[in-house]
Amino acid sequence: MAGTQVFRGAKLATMTGAETPYGLVRDGAIAVCGKTIEWAGPADALPEQFASAPAEDLGGRLVTPGLIDCHTHVVFGGDRAGEFEMRLNGAGYEAIAKAGGGINSTVRATREASVAQLIEGALPRVDAMIAEGLTTIEIKSGYGLQSETELAMLRAAREIARRRPVEVVTTYLGAHATPPEYKGRDDAFVDEVAIPVLRAAHAEGLVDAVDGFCEGIAFTPGQVARVFEAAKALDLPVKLHAEQLSNLGGAKLAASFGALSADHIEYLDEDGVRAMAGAGTVGVILPGAFYTLRETRKPPIGLLRKHGVAMALATDCNPGSSPLTSLLLTMNMACTLFAMTPEEALAGVTRHAARALGLSDRGTIAPGMRADLAVWDVAQPAELAYRIGFNPLHRRIFGGQS
């Protein structure tokens, strides 16, 4: 077929949910036309229609779907390395806050940055992710907490997709924290800033989804619900930072809105898991924040398995609680810290991560899916989660192009 490229000599971790672990095809082939997978399966079953297409032998390497990071805050100003050092030298929360630390330090630095500076700051982080096989990334706002900077963050996220061969999904996170100028007036912030800026960002075409932070240090379920109602009126899907530090019923609230995902979820209880299962809401596991904050309460992996809730994995890349840019390390952390299996970890950064973003055209190797692929110098899929600080990527294929 004209314009078709065939890849042979590959182990395919199709991640299709087939009966074999990883949906593994040991001697596989993939036929790609343009940006789309036309066929994938055992090499000896390659249809005759692809027999004359140009073919490339991948030398027995493993091929997986391109990796997807479904929860990041990769666009921000400044850094929090000084705060990290203060904490390890014994400074407490109050001392760090008095020294200008905490999320408000990132808000200040982000407000001071231009769109160009935000882009230039984010690109090295995105490049590190691409170098590990990333093909799709979600990028949140949430460090502006006022109109000009929230819009600037979303514009920067859109521009990253034009500067790099990666697909960007934007998420508006106006209800992330209350800025200093609204201290003690959370409801006013939601009504006067978070919701109006959402409408402005949507009007500019900058928003693919809407998020919030439902927690004692952030916003109540009622406040988040008002943001979600505004999102619903704009026909935008929602997701939620929920049950990270306590259980306020955020996951149940998210499920009641048919949320794409509930993220963090360390304090999630069985009622919340049932609600997520009923709504088809994905649980996004974020081991980077658990590790960095030295938390002890683990997400209820067993309950999520029991009730059939899909589990995605993401870096949660951000300057304060998860300065992590490696999905491979994220996979290892999920296995080592939370006892997820290597197969669950790989599904978490492919098939289930796609679902957490509402994307049905990627995350598996199957006909009709985007030809976003990662080719690895490994003998078996488990190696991707097994190794620490090692990148075995041989090649990345994005939309059919290397």
Side-chain angles (χ1 to χ4, degrees), residues 2 38 49 64 100 103 127 144 173 185 206 233 236-238 254 285 294 309 315 330 339 349 376 382 398:
E38 293 288 312
Q49 69 194 82
T64 70
I103 190 171
D127 287 342
L173 181 57
R185 299 188 297 134
L206 296 174
L236 289 170
V238 300
I285 310 300
R294 293 186 287 182
V309 174
T315 63
T330 300
V349 297
W376 307 92
F398 176 66

Side-chain angles (χ1 to χ4, degrees), residues 184-264:
R185 299 188 297 134
D186 293 359
D187 283 306
F189 173 76
V190 169
D191 295 332
E192 296 173 11
V193 179
I195 293 174
V197 176
L198 165 59
R199 293 174 179 145
H202 176 261
E204 197 176 322
L206 296 174
V207 185
D208 297 320
V210 176
D211 198 350
F213 188 15
C214 185
E215 192 54 74
I217 62 171
F219 297 97
T220 67
Q223 290 161 346
V224 170
R226 297 211 299 278
V227 176
F228 281 6
E229 289 289 355
K232 184 177 178 182
L234 297 171
D235 199 27
L236 289 170
V238 300
K239 58 186 70 176
L240 188 64
H241 289 61
E243 272 75 88
Q244 181 183 7
L245 305 172
S246 63
N247 189 343
L248 297 185
K252 291 175 72 173
L253 170 70
S256 74
F257 279 87
L260 293 173
S261 68
D263 303 27
H264 287 290

